[in-house]
Amino acid sequence: MAKRQPGKPTQGRFRHGIKAPLVFSAVLAVVAGVATSIFATGGGARELRVDLGLTAAGIAFITSLVICAMLMMAETPNAEHLSKGSGINRSSARPDVQKRPAKPERDPEADDEPRYGQRLPKQDT
């Protein structure tokens, strides 16, 4: 069983609070909605365009919330056990050096098979 430590989040639970991205997205949505309502009106004598303001507020809220969630997921570090494996490059600081044996040089005339684009010696006659 996994050992639980107090104060540390467990796997599968929210690591960060959700309140900050929601507040940020709500403030951004209000600013976008008010600005769109005012600028879409086109003057003081016309009626305020609340429909465009609500549409812009909804779009701003959803997109900013998705961007915040993506940034929070990208910031999450990998688990410690992932760096302790038996792979080829276990650490980027000390990559394992592997020397491959040198291939013996082949004589191209010794092969009976022609290479691509070459003629067989018997075809020249």
Side-chain angles (χ1 to χ4, degrees):
M1 276 207 133
K3 296 179 182 178
R4 299 180 100 180
Q5 297 177 356
K8 291 196 174 189
T10 58
Q11 186 74 3
R13 294 190 182 177
F14 288 113
R15 186 170 288 222
H16 305 285
I18 193 145
K19 188 176 182 181
L22 282 175
V23 170
F24 174 74
S25 297
V27 168
L28 195 62
V30 168
V31 169
V34 169
T36 303
S37 294
I38 291 172
F39 294 129
T41 299
R46 297 184 181 172
E47 190 176 326
L48 194 64
R49 295 293 307 258
V50 180
D51 58 339
L52 289 177
L54 289 175
T55 303
I59 291 171
F61 179 77
I62 292 170
T63 55
S64 62
L65 196 60
V66 167
I67 290 173
C68 285
M70 294 292 285
L71 289 174
M72 287 172 65
M73 285 180 7
E75 182 269 336
T76 304
N78 287 336
E80 187 65 31
H81 72 277
L82 293 177
S83 64
K84 298 175 183 173
S86 62
I88 294 173
N89 293 324
R90 287 176 272 201
S91 171
S92 60
R94 298 178 291 120
D96 296 336
V97 179
Q98 291 184 349
K99 293 184 180 179
R100 295 182 184 195
K103 291 183 180 179
E105 293 186 23
R106 296 180 357 183
D107 187 17
E109 295 177 7
D111 291 339
D112 290 338
E113 296 289 324
R115 294 187 182 198
Y116 182 75
Q118 291 181 343
R119 291 178 170 259
L120 286 174
K122 298 173 186 174
Q123 288 180 340
D124 290 335
T125 59

